[in-house]
């Protein structure tokens, strides 16, 4: 696998949690990635607006990324100040890195709804897609159209070729964590002062300092 591959991981990150970071680091080891860009979204189009501000989500990501030098915060989507669209992000990275393989990582919950994304059938023109296992989400949940589209692109990790075009389903440890549950947890535990296992310690301190999710 080429050492110059670029990995991208987009999300609302409201807040970033260890269900994002731990599988990403497993992938970095499996795929030998040296650089993973974490891209916080600008006003996600299909969902309620984040509770934390752009700056707070960015700061939490910067703190979480101190766990490993391969993790880089990338504020490109925030700076566009337009609703995030993965297809546009992938075109931008493809233009910026024309000769490097690009891997776009998402959770299985996102993969099985891919056919709701803008220009979804073109996503693999620009990048390989990598889906992280997530509890309660299975490939069989995809629509028949998406299932057929995926079937012709899925290949084994290490057998993908070229700069883009394949879909990969690596094995990583299941992380039964979601940002929604974490926001709920803070509302129910406003005085808890020990870092819970699902958050990075610096992110947990920041959430307290900023009085977020109360
Ligand atoms: P929310 O609960 O607010 O929907 P989330 O926990 O799903 O948030 P996002 O920031 O929306 O987090 O997710 C960014 C990406 O991370 C998405 O591709 C999502 O599928 C993936 N992801 C989030 N949590 C997990 C998890 N526990 N395991 C695997 N993938 C995950």
């Amino acid at each position: 696998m080429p050492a110059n591959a670029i990995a991208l991981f987009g999300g609302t990150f409201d807040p970033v949690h260890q269900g994002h970071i731990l599988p990403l680091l497993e992938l970095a080891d499996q795929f030998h990635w040296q650089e993973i860009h974490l891209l916080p979204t600008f006003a996600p189009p299909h969902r309620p607006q984040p509770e934390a501000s752009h700056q707070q989500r960015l700061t939490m990501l910067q703190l979480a990324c101190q766990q490993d030098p391969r993790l880089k915060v990338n504020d490109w989507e925030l700076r566009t100040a337009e609703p995030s669209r993965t297809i546009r992000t992938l075109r931008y990275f493809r233009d910026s890195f024309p000769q490097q393989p690009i891997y776009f990582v998402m959770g299985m919950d996102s993969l099985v709804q891919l056919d709701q994304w803008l220009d979804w059938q073109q996503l693999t023109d620009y990048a390989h897609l990598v889906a992280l296992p997530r509890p309660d989400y299975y490939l069989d949940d995809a629509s028949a159209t998406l299932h057929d589209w995926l079937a012709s692109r899925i290949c084994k990790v290490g057998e993908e070729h070229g700069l883009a075009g394949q879909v990969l389903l690596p094995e990583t440890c299941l992380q039964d964590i979601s940002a929604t549950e974490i926001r709920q947890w803070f509302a129910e535990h406003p005085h808890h002062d020990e870092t819970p296992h699902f958050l990075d310690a610096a992110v947990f301190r920041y959430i307290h300092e900023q009085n977020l999710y109360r």
Side-chain angles (χ1 to χ4, degrees):
M1 223 168 285
N4 62 351
I6 307 274
L8 307 176
F9 187 57
T12 314
F13 302 124
D14 184 26
V16 60
H17 53 70
Q18 295 302 79
H20 299 128
I21 301 293
L22 298 178
L24 268 185
L25 293 177
E26 279 188 59
L27 290 185
D29 291 340
Q30 279 187 42
F31 285 80
H32 309 291
W33 291 333
Q34 296 306 315
E35 204 165 295
I36 306 168
H37 296 256
L38 289 95
L39 294 132
T41 52
F42 179 87
H46 302 114
R47 311 170 44 156
Q49 294 294 302
E51 278 189 38
S53 68
H54 287 165
Q55 186 54 55
Q56 286 170 324
R57 289 187 294 128
L58 199 57
T59 303
M60 289 190 281
L61 264 184
Q62 282 158 346
L63 293 169
C65 286
Q66 287 172 7
Q67 291 177 71
D68 192 289
R70 293 169 293 184
L71 301 172
K72 318 269 182 208
V73 181
N74 187 313
D75 66 353
W76 185 78
E77 287 195 355
L78 284 181
R79 280 189 287 113
T80 61
E82 285 177 43
S84 290
R85 297 295 192 180
T86 299
I87 191 76
R88 189 183 52 196
T89 303
L90 293 185
R91 286 191 183 118
Y92 165 77
F93 275 88
R94 177 48 67 215
D95 287 347
S96 308
F97 302 100
Q99 301 302 334
Q100 292 172 235
I102 297 177
Y103 292 81
F104 184 82
V105 181
M106 67 184 81
M108 184 56 84
D109 54 311
S110 301
L111 185 73
V112 296
Q113 296 193 356
L114 199 71
D115 50 351
Q116 295 175 24
W117 294 20
L118 182 71
D119 294 340
W120 63 277
Q121 282 150 312
Q122 274 98 62
L123 293 169
T124 47
D125 293 349
Y126 304 101
H128 298 299
L129 304 183
V130 182
L132 296 172
R134 191 167 183 181
D136 303 326
Y137 293 94
Y138 306 97
L139 208 52
D140 285 350
D141 301 334
S143 69
T145 311
L146 175 56
H147 214 274
D148 288 350
W149 185 86
L150 289 170
S152 62
R153 287 170 175 77
I154 288 174
C155 79
K156 285 193 183 146
V157 176
E159 292 183 2
E160 72 276 22
H161 53 83
L163 306 182
Q166 262 99 41
V167 176
L168 300 147
L169 306 173
E171 286 184 22
T172 53
C173 284
L174 281 177
Q175 302 289 335
D176 195 4
I177 309 172
S178 80
T180 305
E181 288 164 344
I182 293 174
R183 294 193 298 274
Q184 181 75 32
W185 183 87
F186 273 103
E188 289 166 2
H189 301 85
H191 305 298
H192 191 94
D193 58 5
E194 264 174 49
T195 307
H197 70 276
F198 46 77
L199 282 178
D200 170 76
V203 173
F204 177 67
R205 276 197 303 278
Y206 180 80
I207 289 172
H208 262 303
E209 283 161 21
Q210 298 283 311
N211 221 12
L212 264 170
Y213 309 129
R214 302 305 148 82

